[in-house]
Amino acid sequence: MSNLKDIKRNIKSVKNTQKTTRAMKLVSTAKLRKAEEAARKSRVYALKINEVLSEIAYKINQYGSVANESKFFDTDKNIEKVDIIFVTADKGLCGGFNVQTIKNVRRMIEEFKSKKIKVRLRAVGKKGIEFFNFQGIDLLETYIGTSSSPTYEKAQNIIQDAINDFVNGTTDKIILIHNGYKNMISQEIRINDIAPIEPPKVDQIQTNSLMEFEPEDNNAQILDELLKKYFEYSMYYSLIDSLAAEHSSRMQAMDNATNNAKERVKQLNLAYNKARQESITTELIEIISGVESMK
């Protein structure tokens, strides 16, 4: 009898869990629609500004750099120290979303260390911060509450310190890593070397591009504004894209959890019915045995 009570209690517990995971799936689905649209629109702008800066880098390498901004296009400089900015979620229950980002950050750390290059980490998102703190790995800057509600102003604050260190010569390279939105059922790791800016290969240059532009000293102010927008929007897009991927991953994880809970309830119901049948059979045998003993 106690076994029947335990099984019934487990069935109730699993059903409650199923209700929770189903609700979380619905919430993530609703949030994903909005985040997906924002990521889609942001991606168009991000790709275009990347293309423009990449082509300018090509022209500067061809005809000489603008004096005040040459550092951002100096790809021949010896790399001794790297800033890695990585984005994870503030919340869990989203499958392997955070694990994939952390795994790639650790891989890059090992690669740079093998080349005797120092690495500094700037962490966005509670889950990534908690992991590296637990591992005893130092984090230069941490940002909690940003990845779950990204804004352009927050992106500016994150990237500005990294850019200042790059300009001052404290670091030689800045890398952005985040798990990006691919579609509703998949995500992909995106690694963006935002500084120095790599020029495109010759076969990648479009015929209707900016290649007629020749950098001159009086273009320094325009280029400065363009670079500012490029760095800030690269960071902002990483936050937006990561949020869409997070909702997508959580929606999948909660859907799988709901299905698993449903299957578990079926198994427990079978176990309950089997135990109940065994209990009834035992009682019948005891009654029959009692009647036979009275004859």
Side-chain angles (χ1 to χ4, degrees):
M1 195 68 176
S2 60
N3 187 40
L4 288 174
K5 289 181 178 179
D6 290 340
I7 295 175
K8 208 167 184 178
R9 191 182 301 113
N10 286 339
I11 291 173
K12 184 178 180 181
S13 176
V14 173
K15 283 184 175 179
N16 288 336
T17 301
Q18 186 180 18
K19 290 178 183 178
T20 302
T21 55
R22 185 185 292 115
M24 291 183 68
K25 176 195 171 184
L26 293 174
V27 170
S28 292
T29 302
K31 289 182 177 180
L32 174 61
R33 292 192 185 99
K34 184 178 179 180
E36 180 186 16
E37 181 66 15
R40 184 183 63 80
K41 291 179 179 178
S42 298
R43 181 170 176 79
V44 175
Y45 184 84
L47 289 176
K48 180 54 66 174
I49 197 170
N50 284 349
E51 178 186 318
V52 170
L53 262 299
S54 183
E55 292 181 6
I56 290 176
Y58 178 83
K59 292 294 287 186
I60 286 176
N61 285 343
Q62 266 195 329
Y63 298 102
S65 62
V66 179
N68 294 332
E69 305 297 344
S70 60
K71 186 183 289 285
F72 290 117
F73 302 97
D74 184 8
T75 56
D76 297 326
K77 183 180 179 181
N78 185 37
I79 306 299
E80 297 180 355
K81 186 175 288 188
V82 175
D83 256 2
I84 296 179
I85 306 173
F86 65 92
V87 183
T88 57
D90 286 320
K91 301 175 183 178
L93 299 177
C94 47
F97 173 78
N98 295 309
V99 174
Q100 291 301 317
T101 305
I102 292 170
K103 181 180 177 181
N104 277 272
V105 172
R106 296 188 69 182
R107 175 183 59 79
M108 294 195 73
I109 291 173
E110 293 302 320
E111 287 180 1
F112 283 124
K113 282 186 175 180
S114 67
K115 298 175 183 177
K116 309 298 182 184
I117 297 175
K118 295 180 180 179
V119 177
R120 307 193 312 176
L121 298 178
R122 299 177 187 269
V124 181
K126 186 177 179 181
K127 292 302 173 181
I129 294 170
E130 288 178 345
F131 174 83
F132 284 100
N133 283 339
F134 180 78
Q135 295 292 321
I137 299 175
D138 292 334
L139 299 173
L140 181 65
E141 296 285 350
T142 58
Y143 304 89
I144 296 177
T146 300
S147 57
S148 56
S149 57
T151 64
Y152 195 82
E153 290 73 20
K154 291 179 181 179
Q156 285 177 311
N157 293 334
I158 294 171
I159 201 65
Q160 191 58 55
D161 290 338
I163 294 301
N164 288 340
D165 285 347
F166 181 83
V167 172
N168 295 333
T170 306
T171 56
D172 306 306
K173 192 179 186 69
I174 303 174
I175 301 175
L176 266 176
I177 303 178
H178 74 279
N179 201 354
Y181 178 81
K182 190 174 182 181
N183 52 54
M184 291 190 71
I185 60 173
S186 62
Q187 305 81 39
E188 63 180 1
I189 292 295
R190 293 185 176 137
I191 301 173
N192 184 12
D193 297 351
I194 64 170
I197 301 169
E198 293 283 345
K201 296 178 181 178
V202 177
D203 58 352
Q204 293 177 332
I205 299 172
Q206 300 179 10
T207 55
N208 59 343
S209 66
L210 298 175
M211 300 319 293
E212 296 302 320
F213 165 79
E214 292 188 13
E216 300 175 357
D217 289 339
N218 59 2
N219 289 319
Q221 186 177 357
I222 298 174
L223 187 57
D224 180 60
E225 287 299 318
L226 187 59
L227 283 165
K228 184 173 182 291
K229 285 293 181 185
Y230 163 71
F231 293 126
E232 292 174 353
Y233 207 86
S234 293
M235 186 70 243
Y236 178 63
Y237 172 67
S238 294
L239 297 175
I240 292 290
D241 193 36
S242 177
L243 182 61
E246 178 190 342
H247 289 316
S248 170
S249 183
R250 182 172 291 109
M251 183 187 71
Q252 284 181 273
M254 293 302 99
D255 185 49
N256 292 334
T258 301
N259 293 334
N260 291 339
K262 184 178 180 180
E263 187 62 31
R264 181 58 179 161
V265 168
K266 287 182 180 179
Q267 294 174 355
L268 288 171
N269 278 327
L270 287 173
Y272 178 82
N273 292 334
K274 184 178 179 180
R276 186 168 177 269
Q277 188 62 47
E278 289 176 353
S279 176
I280 292 172
T281 302
T282 301
E283 289 179 3
L284 287 173
I285 292 174
E286 289 176 352
I287 291 171
I288 294 170
S289 298
V291 171
E292 288 296 326
S293 65
M294 292 174 64
K295 290 180 179 179

